[in-house]
Amino acid sequence: MVDPTERQIVQDQLEELHARHGSSPFDDVVSYYPPEAEADRDLFGVAGTNVDGTCWSIGDCSVRFPLHSVSKVFTYALALEDHGRAEVMRNVGVEPSGDPFNSITFDEANNRPYNPMINAGALVAASLVDGFDTRDQVGRIVERYRRYTGNPDLDVDRAVLDEQLANNDRNIGLCYLMRSLGMLHGDIDRTVEVYLSACSITVTAAELSVMGATLANGGVNPLTGERAVERSHVRDVVSVMMSCGMYDAAGTWATEVGIPAKSGVSGGIVCVLPEYFGLGTFSPGLDVHGNSVRGVALCRELSETFGLHVFADPGESTFGRVAQPDQRT
């Protein structure tokens, strides 16, 4: 475990970041999803989990919120386990699209969605999760997400799912178009419900950080010791987070922030620093790309000020012991 002195250093640094970005002007917010989330505009949680099981939490880390697009990471991982990289790659690519997450654009050269982090690709990935029926597929997803969080009570929020299903024309349209082009097979209503059920699972920022730490730890939950995904698939999952995880701002993110991450329109961001650290943030105000304004600002400072860019020189790191792997014992 991280020793008490170093643990306190990281706690102090995260508290300083939380205070600064929680009280800074909120001028960059362009939307909330759903719109009534504006009533929770002041909520801001930041949580971290080291691969040795040390945890930090600051602010609103016990507030539950739907995973929404953050779920795409973990459903994609399950599709890889069920079918392997080659088969999944035949159905969904790994290239950044350069378009918004809900765009109706495809990799026409390969007749597939560009990547599993946009809606088209995530729908295909959800359809690849094995199961006898919708209930079985969703049950397998929920069970796997419970492994990632270590929370045996994690579940789909039925009210969130019902709202999603009632306002879902674009995803349904995407599915019909993809099926007509041979990119998607099977029952469309089933595919959509499986995908939206994963999106409607609720977590806290603290749980989200454990999900990130599980990927950082080679697929093993550092709190429970339970494997959530085979190590052989972790590289693929984290790589696509790095290249495609932050919607149409992914290229800028990879260059300037350099931390594999995935955002969701409910205001969550999960980050993965392989072999060291998982981070979960929650704040509902969104920028033009649909990413949490506060979450993005905090992650940017972790990279620029504390040297957590994955390609930074280890000597640049000033973020406690977590980001100084050469000093670990």
Side-chain angles (χ1 to χ4, degrees), residues 97-106 114 118-120 170 174:
S97 69
D99 294 310
F101 67 94
N102 61 353
S103 63
I104 305 177
T105 56
F106 308 106
Y114 278 104
I118 56 176
N119 287 14
R170 194 175 186 89
L174 262 174

Side-chain angles (χ1 to χ4, degrees), residues 130-323:
D130 287 344
F132 297 110
D133 53 23
T134 304
R135 182 176 180 179
D136 192 29
Q137 285 177 287
V138 173
R140 291 189 66 235
I141 289 171
V142 170
E143 187 275 334
R144 190 57 60 98
Y145 285 29
R146 288 173 176 171
R147 291 193 207 175
Y148 278 105
T149 62
N151 178 2
D153 298 320
L154 199 77
D155 214 340
V156 176
D157 185 314
R158 189 69 216 188
V160 173
L161 176 58
D162 287 344
E163 183 178 357
Q164 295 286 297
L165 288 169
N167 297 279
N168 195 45
D169 291 349
R170 194 175 186 89
N171 285 327
I172 292 172
L174 262 174
C175 285
Y176 274 108
L177 181 56
M178 287 192 292
R179 193 170 70 177
S180 75
L181 295 171
M183 298 179 189
L184 182 69
H185 307 282
D187 183 79
I188 285 174
D189 289 340
R190 175 175 170 177
T191 293
V192 169
E193 184 166 351
V194 171
Y195 165 67
L196 291 179
S197 293
C199 292
S200 301
I201 293 171
T202 60
V203 298
T204 66
E207 290 170 344
L208 197 57
S209 77
V210 178
M211 297 177 85
T214 299
L215 291 174
N217 196 37
V220 175
N221 185 312
L223 303 186
T224 66
E226 187 174 16
R227 179 165 290 282
V229 60
E230 291 299 319
R231 178 179 285 275
S232 59
H233 299 304
V234 171
R235 183 180 70 176
D236 291 347
V237 172
V238 176
S239 294
V240 81
M241 289 174 70
M242 184 67 160
S243 62
C244 307
M246 297 299 285
Y247 298 137
D248 48 328
T252 300
W253 178 274
T255 302
E256 297 182 358
V257 180
I259 301 173
K262 183 71 191 85
S263 60
V265 293
S266 53
I269 299 177
V270 62
C271 299
V272 178
L273 285 161
E275 298 185 30
Y276 309 121
F277 192 63
L279 184 78
T281 71
F282 168 63
S283 181
L286 306 177
D287 63 18
V288 67
H289 303 289
N291 298 322
S292 169
V293 171
R294 287 188 176 124
V296 167
L298 184 140
C299 291
R300 186 177 295 278
E301 186 164 357
L302 283 173
S303 175
E304 294 177 351
T305 303
F306 293 101
L308 291 192
H309 194 298
V310 293
F311 299 122
D313 187 301
E316 296 179 41
S317 173
T318 58
F319 188 65
R321 175 173 171 240
V322 172

Side-chain angles (χ1 to χ4, degrees), residues 10-11 14-16 18-19 44-48 56-61 205:
V10 174
Q11 181 74 24
L14 288 175
E15 287 182 359
E16 179 184 348
H18 180 272
F44 185 26
V46 180
W56 298 266
S57 61
I58 300 92
D60 302 300
C61 288

Side-chain angles (χ1 to χ4, degrees), residues 5-19:
T5 300
E6 292 173 337
R7 178 172 182 166
Q8 188 59 50
I9 290 172
V10 174
Q11 181 74 24
D12 291 344
Q13 290 171 328
L14 288 175
E15 287 182 359
E16 179 184 348
L17 289 173
H18 180 272

